Amino acid sequence: MNTKNLKLATFGGGCFWCTEAVFLEVKGIEKVVSGYSGGNAPGKPTYREICSGLTGHAEVIQVTYDADVISYEDLLVIFMTTHDPTQLNRQGADVGTQYRSVIYYHDDAQKKIAETVVEQLVRYFDDPIVTEISPLDIFYEAEDYHQDYYRNNSEQG
């Protein structure tokens, strides 16, 4: 019998296409879904609304992982070292609150681990880490054309 210890993690590190592509290559990852979270606009937002910057939502990924294969701490280290957590409301040329660096925790244990990992990584950056650590309220799955973006659009990579 093959049982897995599946858990969820939710991260925002700029454009979700790039973040999704990284995590799809990690052993122990079962699924990565691009989406939106952290805003206050009513109803399910669209990509166009997210891009306006008016919804308060960030572009995020929700990762389903096998905790017996990879730890939440390891996922956080991958996340924090594959984007620039010192840039406020931007990643590279993408600018706006929708591109903020954020860790949405699913429970108090994830919150504590996230705070510890960020604290441990501070010494590796010249500038202060501005990554937000907040509870996950609701996750909205992005439109289908955003899912598996790089695998479906390899000519753009």
mmCIF file of all heavy atoms in Angstrom, residues 5-7 9 23 25-30 63-79:
data_model
loop_
_atom_site.group_PDB
_atom_site.id
_atom_site.type_symbol
_atom_site.label_atom_id
_atom_site.label_comp_id
_atom_site.label_asym_id
_atom_site.label_seq_id
_atom_site.Cartn_x
_atom_site.Cartn_y
_atom_site.Cartn_z
ATOM 1 N N ASN A 5 2.024 11.330 2.637
ATOM 2 C CA ASN A 5 1.743 12.324 3.664
ATOM 3 C C ASN A 5 1.630 13.686 2.981
ATOM 4 O O ASN A 5 2.551 14.489 3.027
ATOM 5 C CB ASN A 5 2.868 12.298 4.706
ATOM 6 C CG ASN A 5 2.608 13.226 5.861
ATOM 7 O OD1 ASN A 5 1.509 13.760 6.022
ATOM 8 N ND2 ASN A 5 3.632 13.429 6.678
ATOM 9 N N LEU A 6 0.502 13.914 2.278
ATOM 10 C CA LEU A 6 0.353 15.123 1.466
ATOM 11 C C LEU A 6 -0.046 16.328 2.299
ATOM 12 O O LEU A 6 -0.934 16.251 3.145
ATOM 13 C CB LEU A 6 -0.682 14.892 0.363
ATOM 14 C CG LEU A 6 -0.333 13.800 -0.651
ATOM 15 C CD1 LEU A 6 -1.419 13.690 -1.710
ATOM 16 C CD2 LEU A 6 1.029 14.041 -1.289
ATOM 17 N N LYS A 7 0.646 17.432 2.013
ATOM 18 C CA LYS A 7 0.399 18.704 2.698
ATOM 19 C C LYS A 7 0.412 19.820 1.658
ATOM 20 O O LYS A 7 0.833 19.621 0.525
ATOM 21 C CB LYS A 7 1.461 18.950 3.758
ATOM 22 C CG LYS A 7 1.525 17.836 4.780
ATOM 23 C CD LYS A 7 2.021 18.321 6.087
ATOM 24 C CE LYS A 7 2.051 17.136 7.041
ATOM 25 N NZ LYS A 7 1.380 17.379 8.263
ATOM 26 N N ALA A 9 1.425 23.974 0.720
ATOM 27 C CA ALA A 9 2.231 25.168 0.984
ATOM 28 C C ALA A 9 1.827 26.205 -0.063
ATOM 29 O O ALA A 9 1.552 25.848 -1.211
ATOM 30 C CB ALA A 9 3.718 24.853 0.865
ATOM 31 N N PHE A 23 9.189 24.740 -8.830
ATOM 32 C CA PHE A 23 8.686 23.696 -7.937
ATOM 33 C C PHE A 23 8.239 22.433 -8.666
ATOM 34 O O PHE A 23 8.247 21.350 -8.075
ATOM 35 C CB PHE A 23 7.585 24.250 -7.032
ATOM 36 C CG PHE A 23 8.143 25.046 -5.888
ATOM 37 C CD1 PHE A 23 8.313 26.412 -5.995
ATOM 38 C CD2 PHE A 23 8.540 24.415 -4.721
ATOM 39 C CE1 PHE A 23 8.851 27.147 -4.956
ATOM 40 C CE2 PHE A 23 9.089 25.128 -3.669
ATOM 41 C CZ PHE A 23 9.246 26.501 -3.784
ATOM 42 N N GLU A 25 9.887 20.857 -10.657
ATOM 43 C CA GLU A 25 11.081 20.028 -10.831
ATOM 44 C C GLU A 25 11.574 19.402 -9.527
ATOM 45 O O GLU A 25 12.562 18.672 -9.533
ATOM 46 C CB GLU A 25 12.207 20.861 -11.454
ATOM 47 C CG GLU A 25 11.866 21.447 -12.812
ATOM 48 C CD GLU A 25 11.501 20.374 -13.833
ATOM 49 O OE1 GLU A 25 12.180 19.330 -13.877
ATOM 50 O OE2 GLU A 25 10.527 20.579 -14.576
ATOM 51 N N VAL A 26 10.913 19.668 -8.407
ATOM 52 C CA VAL A 26 11.399 19.232 -7.097
ATOM 53 C C VAL A 26 10.813 17.869 -6.724
ATOM 54 O O VAL A 26 9.597 17.664 -6.802
ATOM 55 C CB VAL A 26 11.040 20.292 -6.020
ATOM 56 C CG1 VAL A 26 11.450 19.818 -4.636
ATOM 57 C CG2 VAL A 26 11.707 21.628 -6.341
ATOM 58 N N LYS A 27 11.671 16.950 -6.294
ATOM 59 C CA LYS A 27 11.234 15.625 -5.856
ATOM 60 C C LYS A 27 10.325 15.780 -4.630
ATOM 61 O O LYS A 27 10.640 16.528 -3.704
ATOM 62 C CB LYS A 27 12.438 14.760 -5.509
ATOM 63 C CG LYS A 27 12.082 13.348 -5.144
ATOM 64 C CD LYS A 27 13.311 12.510 -4.877
ATOM 65 C CE LYS A 27 12.890 11.091 -4.518
ATOM 66 N NZ LYS A 27 14.044 10.267 -4.189
ATOM 67 N N GLY A 28 9.209 15.078 -4.648
ATOM 68 C CA GLY A 28 8.270 15.135 -3.537
ATOM 69 C C GLY A 28 7.099 16.058 -3.783
ATOM 70 O O GLY A 28 6.131 16.058 -3.026
ATOM 71 N N ILE A 29 7.183 16.836 -4.864
ATOM 72 C CA ILE A 29 6.077 17.722 -5.230
ATOM 73 C C ILE A 29 5.076 16.910 -6.041
ATOM 74 O O ILE A 29 5.423 16.308 -7.051
ATOM 75 C CB ILE A 29 6.558 18.938 -6.056
ATOM 76 C CG1 ILE A 29 7.582 19.751 -5.278
ATOM 77 C CG2 ILE A 29 5.367 19.790 -6.500
ATOM 78 C CD1 ILE A 29 7.071 20.360 -3.995
ATOM 79 N N GLU A 30 3.839 16.899 -5.606
ATOM 80 C CA GLU A 30 2.779 16.160 -6.285
ATOM 81 C C GLU A 30 2.055 17.028 -7.306
ATOM 82 O O GLU A 30 1.638 16.556 -8.348
ATOM 83 C CB GLU A 30 1.774 15.630 -5.259
ATOM 84 C CG GLU A 30 2.354 14.617 -4.304
ATOM 85 C CD GLU A 30 2.695 13.302 -4.976
ATOM 86 O OE1 GLU A 30 1.877 12.810 -5.768
ATOM 87 O OE2 GLU A 30 3.782 12.769 -4.695
ATOM 88 N N VAL A 63 1.323 24.515 -3.544
ATOM 89 C CA VAL A 63 2.105 23.316 -3.763
ATOM 90 C C VAL A 63 1.540 22.178 -2.902
ATOM 91 O O VAL A 63 1.389 22.344 -1.693
ATOM 92 C CB VAL A 63 3.584 23.561 -3.377
ATOM 93 C CG1 VAL A 63 4.406 22.302 -3.523
ATOM 94 C CG2 VAL A 63 4.173 24.706 -4.185
ATOM 95 N N THR A 64 1.234 21.060 -3.537
ATOM 96 C CA THR A 64 0.896 19.845 -2.802
ATOM 97 C C THR A 64 2.162 19.001 -2.781
ATOM 98 O O THR A 64 2.721 18.680 -3.836
ATOM 99 C CB THR A 64 -0.245 19.074 -3.496
ATOM 100 O OG1 THR A 64 -1.387 19.931 -3.607
ATOM 101 C CG2 THR A 64 -0.621 17.837 -2.697
ATOM 102 N N TYR A 65 2.627 18.662 -1.574
ATOM 103 C CA TYR A 65 3.893 17.940 -1.459
ATOM 104 C C TYR A 65 3.755 16.777 -0.476
ATOM 105 O O TYR A 65 2.870 16.776 0.391
ATOM 106 C CB TYR A 65 5.018 18.883 -1.031
ATOM 107 C CG TYR A 65 4.874 19.447 0.370
ATOM 108 C CD1 TYR A 65 5.586 18.900 1.443
ATOM 109 C CD2 TYR A 65 4.039 20.523 0.629
ATOM 110 C CE1 TYR A 65 5.458 19.415 2.728
ATOM 111 C CE2 TYR A 65 3.908 21.042 1.912
ATOM 112 C CZ TYR A 65 4.615 20.486 2.956
ATOM 113 O OH TYR A 65 4.480 20.997 4.233
ATOM 114 N N ASP A 66 4.636 15.817 -0.648
ATOM 115 C CA ASP A 66 4.695 14.668 0.247
ATOM 116 C C ASP A 66 5.710 14.999 1.341
ATOM 117 O O ASP A 66 6.920 15.034 1.090
ATOM 118 C CB ASP A 66 5.108 13.410 -0.525
ATOM 119 C CG ASP A 66 5.065 12.156 0.329
ATOM 120 O OD1 ASP A 66 5.048 12.257 1.574
ATOM 121 O OD2 ASP A 66 5.042 11.065 -0.269
ATOM 122 N N ALA A 67 5.203 15.230 2.543
ATOM 123 C CA ALA A 67 6.057 15.633 3.662
ATOM 124 C C ALA A 67 7.016 14.533 4.110
ATOM 125 O O ALA A 67 7.954 14.806 4.859
ATOM 126 C CB ALA A 67 5.197 16.104 4.832
ATOM 127 N N ASP A 68 6.795 13.302 3.642
ATOM 128 C CA ASP A 68 7.741 12.222 3.932
ATOM 129 C C ASP A 68 8.926 12.242 2.969
ATOM 130 O O ASP A 68 9.925 11.556 3.197
ATOM 131 C CB ASP A 68 7.047 10.855 3.856
ATOM 132 C CG ASP A 68 6.050 10.654 4.989
ATOM 133 O OD1 ASP A 68 6.194 11.307 6.050
ATOM 134 O OD2 ASP A 68 5.113 9.850 4.804
ATOM 135 N N VAL A 69 8.817 13.028 1.887
ATOM 136 C CA VAL A 69 9.882 13.122 0.891
ATOM 137 C C VAL A 69 10.631 14.448 1.012
ATOM 138 O O VAL A 69 11.856 14.493 0.909
ATOM 139 C CB VAL A 69 9.311 12.957 -0.540
ATOM 140 C CG1 VAL A 69 10.399 13.128 -1.590
ATOM 141 C CG2 VAL A 69 8.625 11.609 -0.689
ATOM 142 N N ILE A 70 9.906 15.519 1.216
ATOM 143 C CA ILE A 70 10.510 16.850 1.339
ATOM 144 C C ILE A 70 9.801 17.609 2.453
ATOM 145 O O ILE A 70 8.586 17.531 2.596
ATOM 146 C CB ILE A 70 10.473 17.629 0.002
ATOM 147 C CG1 ILE A 70 11.298 18.919 0.111
ATOM 148 C CG2 ILE A 70 9.038 17.882 -0.463
ATOM 149 C CD1 ILE A 70 11.616 19.571 -1.219
ATOM 150 N N SER A 71 10.571 18.345 3.220
ATOM 151 C CA SER A 71 10.008 19.076 4.362
ATOM 152 C C SER A 71 9.525 20.469 3.949
ATOM 153 O O SER A 71 9.960 21.022 2.935
ATOM 154 C CB SER A 71 11.052 19.211 5.469
ATOM 155 O OG SER A 71 12.080 20.113 5.058
ATOM 156 N N TYR A 72 8.650 21.003 4.755
ATOM 157 C CA TYR A 72 8.191 22.381 4.537
ATOM 158 C C TYR A 72 9.377 23.341 4.629
ATOM 159 O O TYR A 72 9.492 24.273 3.845
ATOM 160 C CB TYR A 72 7.115 22.731 5.579
ATOM 161 C CG TYR A 72 6.527 24.107 5.400
ATOM 162 C CD1 TYR A 72 5.747 24.417 4.292
ATOM 163 C CD2 TYR A 72 6.736 25.098 6.348
ATOM 164 C CE1 TYR A 72 5.197 25.681 4.125
ATOM 165 C CE2 TYR A 72 6.184 26.364 6.198
ATOM 166 C CZ TYR A 72 5.417 26.652 5.090
ATOM 167 O OH TYR A 72 4.877 27.900 4.928
ATOM 168 N N GLU A 73 10.277 23.077 5.547
ATOM 169 C CA GLU A 73 11.477 23.911 5.684
ATOM 170 C C GLU A 73 12.289 23.912 4.389
ATOM 171 O O GLU A 73 12.733 24.975 3.928
ATOM 172 C CB GLU A 73 12.339 23.408 6.841
ATOM 173 C CG GLU A 73 13.584 24.234 7.061
ATOM 174 C CD GLU A 73 14.403 23.778 8.254
ATOM 175 O OE1 GLU A 73 13.984 22.850 8.970
ATOM 176 O OE2 GLU A 73 15.472 24.366 8.462
ATOM 177 N N ASP A 74 12.477 22.753 3.780
ATOM 178 C CA ASP A 74 13.227 22.674 2.525
ATOM 179 C C ASP A 74 12.507 23.437 1.408
ATOM 180 O O ASP A 74 13.144 24.111 0.592
ATOM 181 C CB ASP A 74 13.448 21.228 2.101
ATOM 182 C CG ASP A 74 14.485 20.518 2.966
ATOM 183 O OD1 ASP A 74 15.286 21.198 3.640
ATOM 184 O OD2 ASP A 74 14.485 19.263 2.976
ATOM 185 N N LEU A 75 11.168 23.328 1.372
ATOM 186 C CA LEU A 75 10.407 24.097 0.379
ATOM 187 C C LEU A 75 10.623 25.590 0.558
ATOM 188 O O LEU A 75 10.779 26.338 -0.409
ATOM 189 C CB LEU A 75 8.913 23.778 0.479
ATOM 190 C CG LEU A 75 8.480 22.371 0.102
ATOM 191 C CD1 LEU A 75 6.987 22.197 0.335
ATOM 192 C CD2 LEU A 75 8.835 22.051 -1.337
ATOM 193 N N LEU A 76 10.641 26.035 1.805
ATOM 194 C CA LEU A 76 10.866 27.456 2.079
ATOM 195 C C LEU A 76 12.252 27.916 1.638
ATOM 196 O O LEU A 76 12.398 29.010 1.085
ATOM 197 C CB LEU A 76 10.676 27.749 3.570
ATOM 198 C CG LEU A 76 9.250 27.726 4.069
ATOM 199 C CD1 LEU A 76 9.224 27.734 5.590
ATOM 200 C CD2 LEU A 76 8.468 28.915 3.528
ATOM 201 N N VAL A 77 13.246 27.094 1.870
ATOM 202 C CA VAL A 77 14.612 27.460 1.442
ATOM 203 C C VAL A 77 14.661 27.561 -0.075
ATOM 204 O O VAL A 77 15.236 28.516 -0.629
ATOM 205 C CB VAL A 77 15.652 26.450 1.986
ATOM 206 C CG1 VAL A 77 17.017 26.690 1.349
ATOM 207 C CG2 VAL A 77 15.740 26.546 3.507
ATOM 208 N N ILE A 78 14.036 26.623 -0.770
ATOM 209 C CA ILE A 78 13.978 26.699 -2.233
ATOM 210 C C ILE A 78 13.268 27.980 -2.656
ATOM 211 O O ILE A 78 13.762 28.728 -3.502
ATOM 212 C CB ILE A 78 13.264 25.461 -2.824
ATOM 213 C CG1 ILE A 78 14.104 24.203 -2.600
ATOM 214 C CG2 ILE A 78 12.962 25.663 -4.313
ATOM 215 C CD1 ILE A 78 13.354 22.906 -2.865
ATOM 216 N N PHE A 79 12.125 28.252 -2.051
ATOM 217 C CA PHE A 79 11.364 29.451 -2.387
ATOM 218 C C PHE A 79 12.186 30.720 -2.151
ATOM 219 O O PHE A 79 12.274 31.593 -3.027
ATOM 220 C CB PHE A 79 10.070 29.497 -1.560
ATOM 221 C CG PHE A 79 9.362 30.811 -1.628
ATOM 222 C CD1 PHE A 79 8.780 31.254 -2.805
ATOM 223 C CD2 PHE A 79 9.278 31.632 -0.510
ATOM 224 C CE1 PHE A 79 8.132 32.476 -2.879
ATOM 225 C CE2 PHE A 79 8.627 32.852 -0.570
ATOM 226 C CZ PHE A 79 8.062 33.274 -1.759
#
